Amino acid sequence: MLEDNTILHGLWSYWTARCGARLMPRRADIDPVDIPLLLPHLLLLETDEQKRFRYRLVGTAIVETYGEELTGRFVDELFTPARRALAMRHYALAFGSARPIAARNRYTNVRGAELIASRILLPLSEDGVNVSMLLIGQTCAYAVPGREGLRRDTVLTEDQVEFLDAGALTPVG
């Protein structure tokens, strides 16, 4: 999923470099000055005491794609039940496994455009063990063949999720 996506590949390379010998970097290890071209495609996701997921920061390209501002809002107040369940499953998997994952799925935005979203969900940890936040990179392409950003031969399932390990992709199942 990352090989043909310069934004997600760039974020993956940056995140792995920031890990060093640790399983995941701290939030303080991520410096926006280092990745200005990636910023429009980034989200920071946190969880509260009730285990609700909240978008702490949402990049401008993502706001444009979704058609509304998501910063500061909870996932459970934003999406349709099916879309919410999918997002929460991905977020819970990344928080619970403390491993980075790649995900790709189809959805329809508030303007009715069918899109294919490609994401990497990268855990951050203040103590080196427990995930405190997710750094998420996301790009979207129109699902209609022939539209900008999507090759005509692209065929995707409704939801693809893979763990990311040292540059290799291992299917979750």
Side-chain angles (χ1 to χ4, degrees):
M1 256 188 257
L2 299 181
E3 300 82 17
D4 60 346
N5 189 315
T6 56
I7 298 294
L8 299 185
H9 188 269
L11 181 58
W12 171 248
S13 297
Y14 180 76
W15 183 86
T16 56
R18 294 295 180 248
C19 282
R22 300 168 294 177
L23 293 175
M24 58 195 117
R26 295 173 294 126
R27 166 64 186 95
D29 295 327
I30 308 302
D31 188 347
V33 171
D34 295 337
I35 51 174
L37 297 177
L38 303 179
L39 295 179
H41 304 278
L42 299 184
L43 300 100
L44 283 175
L45 183 85
E46 61 189 4
T47 187
D48 68 6
E49 301 81 31
Q50 291 80 36
K51 301 297 181 195
R52 292 176 71 202
F53 298 114
R54 183 172 74 100
Y55 295 111
R56 183 170 178 157
L57 176 75
V58 180
T60 56
I62 297 167
V63 170
E64 173 70 21
T65 298
Y66 278 89
E68 63 182 310
E69 179 59 70
L70 306 177
T71 301
R73 298 180 66 192
F74 287 94
V75 172
D76 59 14
E77 9 177 86
L78 285 170
F79 305 117
T80 63
R83 176 74 183 98
R84 179 174 51 243
L86 181 71
M88 291 176 75
R89 182 173 78 85
H90 292 172
Y91 301 154
L93 179 62
F95 267 97
S97 68
R99 293 177 63 191
I101 63 170
R104 183 177 287 162
N105 63 282
R106 293 178 186 263
Y107 77 94
T108 303
N109 71 7
V110 297
R111 293 183 297 270
E114 187 177 350
L115 302 168
I116 297 173
S118 299
R119 298 177 189 85
I120 54 173
L121 293 80
L122 306 170
L124 303 174
S125 176
E126 296 310 311
D127 63 10
V129 177
N130 298 298
V131 179
S132 55
M133 185 176 283
L134 295 180
L135 173 63
I136 302 171
Q138 176 177 304
T139 61
C140 288
Y142 288 101
V144 177
R147 290 277 182 104
E148 175 184 318
L150 189 65
R151 296 187 309 269
R152 286 187 181 275
D153 60 348
T154 301
V155 178
L156 298 174
T157 61
E158 285 301 309
D159 184 30
Q160 298 173 337
V161 179
E162 301 169 331
F163 284 114
L164 298 173
D165 290 310
L169 301 180
T170 307
V172 170

